[in-house]
Amino acid sequence: MMWLFLRKQKYLIDFTLSSLLRRKGKSLGLLAVYTLIVFMLASVTLFTHALRKEAGLMLQASPEIIVQRMQAGRHALIPADYLQRIGRLRGVTQKEGRLWGYYYDPAVKANYTIMTAGQVAAPLTEIIIGTGIARARGLVVGDYLTLRSQNGEAYSFEITELLNEKSELVSADLLLMSPQAFRRLFNIPEGFYTDLVLSVRNPREVRKVAEKLTLLLPDTRPILREEVLRTYDSVFSWRQGILFVLLTGSILAFVIFAWDKASGLSAEERREIGILKAVGWETADVMRMKFWEGMIVSLSAFLIGYLAAYAHVFYASASLFEPVLKGWAVLYPQFRLTPFVDGLQLATLLFFTVLPYIVATIIPIWRTSITDPDAVMR
Amino acid sequence: MRKSNTFLACVFLLLVGCIATLVDATHRKHLAVSDVESGTALVRQFGLTDLALFTEARYTRHLSQSDLHSAFQDHPVALEHFPSGSLLLPPQRMQ
Amino acid sequence: MLIQLTDIKKVFNQGRPNEFWAIQGVSLEFEPNRVSCLKGASGSGKTTLLSMIGCLSRPTSGRIQLGERVISSLPERFLTDVRRHTFGFIFQRFNLISGLSVLENIMLPAYPLGLPYKRLVATALHLLEQFNLLAKADNPVEWLSGGEAQRVAICRALINDPQILIADEPTANLDSKLSYEFMGLIDELRQSGKTILITSHDPEVFDSAVVDRVVEMHDGVVLT
Ligand SMILES: Nc1ncnc2c1ncn2[C@@H]1O[C@H](COP(=O)(O)OP(=O)(O)OP(=O)(O)O)[C@@H](O)[C@H]1O
Ligand SMILES: [Mg+2]
């Protein structure tokens, strides 16, 4: 019984392949366009999903609460005595001020992110840089980098270390220096910080702490880690959305093309179906044959497109997307995404790419295959 | 060879390829644990909050930290976060 | 298998202004293992009658009996089944499917039966050999000459080993020599035990010694 069924399906596949190969150019063209669409959609999905996952994992370690002072609607320096004003809040295990900012390097037209770290050995002359900066400026350990300060003086720093290149996704444009050097470079007086960082041991207390903070320091806004994580969650779905919108044009074109190809039964095809029915095929056989036609095209396109997308995103570092993501940035991290692929993702992709095509092939056939087979006699 | 056999063989190979991607993904996820951890370590050490993906402007570099509500913060033609940014032209003197 | 038609009527577009009675009460009997030929003016209803016998369509009223079985009242699904196992069709324009090879065309009617592939190919090749077409097995059907296409059409009609062969103007596209040859093939088939129904305008066919019986039709009724 089982074998009989399989044999029947194989015959139908034989026939469908023969009839597809008959219009080789058209069929292959269709397959190519279809594959390309799947490739693009799959690339976008795989890329954003993996990036979102990776960001989520890494940023899990970011501070529970960051306190920013706002002045006239803008981020402003926060006085150190705010640390005292916070005092002892229940649940807060640690609190400290941070100094960080941006430095625009006209030499390569790039923005660096400068952070401060106490561990830099010689406070005023040494820095650690991220690999993105090193690449952009062609620097190696031992080289000197000159930064121009707020009041026009130039300071030279020796590069003592490069940050681990494996962490480039978060560190490509980082430049670490001592707090003293930072204050001197940007002319920030003692007693001020960029923002404050609070550690909260118990995640359930974070919201409560944030509420107390807004009462205690009304000119600040607390940024919670969950907000950071949510930002990245939504930003990638947003970018994914934008890419999808850009793709819509091509998808629509394809839909029209596919509809025309799949649904518009030519007179010749109609005649063929008549012949098949006349020589003893049932309506159901004709439908099954058409199902296989849709299946063969869409399944091949799906499998090839998905495989190509996987290779593109996880082995070629999504090089096709780089121009889009890079924007006007000079520093762009070189990273190899960790593949996060799950069944649900594959199933969604399958559902949205394969199913519509199969439906589009079968539906119009319904009308013609229930017509009388005696039409071929005349 | 019979056409259906050729086709089924191709599909089989492609399916194997697909399963291989899943296996490869799990495998590389294990390998990448240390990479992710070195990133996590940096994040923890310096209290990082953002990815260094879009470095062209403040509010793209530190998405989660910036006041998102002012347009054209840095680069006159930088990609805007809000669609409205693409409708407003940058100030005359910056063009 | 005896074919009995009792008071068959067929109306097209019933109830509409262009209602047309193509068959107006035909009662006939076709004996097994005979070659019968329907002749008559164009539009007299030959094709319509054949397609009802061949289960391609159903009569508006009347009864068609195939051996013991009444087929005129069977639902579509069963009709296909009867058609598939009992009838082989040879059409006027051969109706081969272009782009497919000769072999594939011949095996087509057997696809829904799901026979083992090797066996089906062997049967098909055997038929091709019988009709002297073995060398053409892998050619696409467009390359065939008219006579060859005709023989391929016969092979296709025979692949499921049907009892009854129905040929609607099989010689309309052939010259008289090929028509003659065709009648030779029909003779062989009759001798191998098939029942054969032909419609034709062609004297080469209905005057042929091979034909056992000629039925003449006019405006949807049988004349003799
Ligand atoms: N589907 C249909 N709808 C309306 N009229 C039809 C239909 N099919 C056939 N007819 C009409 O029925 C009549 C008989 O047609 P049929 O094809 O049986 O004639 P025929 O004897 O085979 O003629 P020919 O020798 O030219 O093939 C014709 O007048 C034809 O116009
Ligand atoms: Mg006719």
Side-chain angles (χ1 to χ4, degrees), chain A residues 377, chain C residues 46-47 92 168-169 199:
Chain A
M377 294 284 273
Chain C
K46 306 183 293 292
T47 302
Q92 175 175 353
D168 190 23
E169 317 218 9
T199 72

Side-chain angles (χ1 to χ4, degrees), chain A residues 287-326:
Chain A
M287 306 270 292
R288 269 181 224 125
M289 183 269 285
K290 273 286 163 183
F291 162 81
W292 277 113
E293 186 179 317
M295 194 66 180
I296 286 170
V297 173
S298 57
L299 191 67
S300 312
F302 172 79
L303 292 174
I304 300 172
Y306 165 74
L307 282 176
Y310 187 88
H312 167 232
V313 172
F314 298 120
Y315 281 92
S317 303
S319 43
L320 290 182
F321 293 154
E322 211 165 283
V324 182
L325 289 167
K326 223 169 174 172

Side-chain angles (χ1 to χ4, degrees), chain A residues 378, chain C residues 12-13 20 22 40-49 92 168-169 201:
Chain A
R378 57 195 92 245
Chain C
F12 289 112
N13 306 319
F20 181 77
S42 187
S44 54
K46 306 183 293 292
T47 302
T48 310
L49 194 64
Q92 175 175 353
D168 190 23
E169 317 218 9
H201 296 292

Side-chain angles (χ1 to χ4, degrees), chain A residues 10-11 13-14 17-18 21 51 55 58-59 61-63 66 68 73-74 98 100 102 111 113 115 117 119 163-164 166-167 169-174 176 221 223 228 232 235-236 238-239 296 300 303-304 306-307 310 314-315 325-329 331-333 335 337-341, chain B residues 2-5 7-8 10-11 13-15 17-18 20-26 28-30 32 34-36 38-67 70 73-75 77-83:
Chain A
K10 275 183 75 180
Y11 280 123
I13 296 174
D14 273 339
L17 284 171
S18 292
L21 284 176
L51 205 53
M58 285 187 179
L59 297 177
S62 65
I66 289 174
Q68 260 185 10
R74 299 205 135 218
R98 287 198 311 175
W100 63 273
Y102 304 97
N111 274 314
T113 299
M115 297 234 133
Q119 309 88 315
L163 291 171
N164 189 346
K166 285 179 177 161
S167 62
L169 192 54
V170 286
S171 71
D173 67 337
L174 283 192
L176 305 175
R221 88 173 164 135
I223 300 168
V228 171
Y232 275 90
V235 107
F236 287 128
W238 181 81
R239 294 226 166 203
I296 286 170
S300 312
L303 292 174
I304 300 172
Y306 165 74
L307 282 176
Y310 187 88
F314 298 120
Y315 281 92
L325 289 167
K326 223 169 174 172
W328 278 261
L331 294 179
Y332 185 70
F335 55 93
L337 276 175
T338 314
F340 289 94
V341 186
Chain B
R2 197 177 159 190
K3 285 187 182 101
S4 55
N5 287 340
F7 171 74
L8 291 175
C10 290
V11 166
L13 281 183
L14 288 170
L15 274 177
C18 280
T21 65
L22 294 178
V23 175
D24 179 61
T26 336
R28 277 179 59 182
K29 234 182 292 182
H30 284 300
S34 71
D35 291 16
V36 174
S38 68
T40 314
L42 265 186
V43 168
R44 186 172 294 118
Q45 190 178 358
F46 298 107
L48 304 182
T49 49
D50 293 84
L51 302 185
L53 259 186
F54 320 114
T55 55
E56 63 256 58
R58 263 206 329 257
Y59 67 99
T60 54
R61 174 62 178 90
H62 285 101
L63 271 175
S64 65
Q65 304 297 301
S66 58
D67 45 345
S70 42
Q73 300 189 29
D74 292 80
H75 197 286
V77 282
L79 273 177
E80 281 301 325
H81 191 73
F82 294 112

Side-chain angles (χ1 to χ4, degrees), chain A residues 4 7-8 11 14-15 18 22 268 271-272 275-282 285 373-374 376-378, chain C residues 56 77 80 83-84 89 91 93 95 97-100 104 108-109 111-117 120 168:
Chain A
L4 182 68
R7 279 203 299 263
K8 281 185 189 177
Y11 280 123
D14 273 339
F15 177 79
S18 292
R22 197 159 33 167
E268 192 195 355
R271 196 181 74 95
E272 254 172 52
I275 297 173
L276 291 177
K277 294 198 75 174
V279 300
W281 286 38
E282 280 172 36
D285 293 322
D374 72 323
V376 280
M377 294 284 273
R378 57 195 92 245
Chain C
L56 288 168
R77 261 184 68 82
T80 310
R83 183 160 79 234
R84 182 188 284 168
F89 293 89
F91 304 102
R93 272 165 293 159
N95 279 340
I97 294 188
S98 59
L100 268 58
E104 283 175 306
L108 219 47
Y111 277 6
L113 302 180
L115 302 169
Y117 186 70
L120 181 55
D168 190 23

Side-chain angles (χ1 to χ4, degrees), chain A residues 121-137:
Chain A
L124 288 176
T125 56
E126 291 181 354
I127 53 172
I128 297 172
I129 60 172
T131 33
I133 301 181
R135 208 166 36 238
R137 293 285 308 243

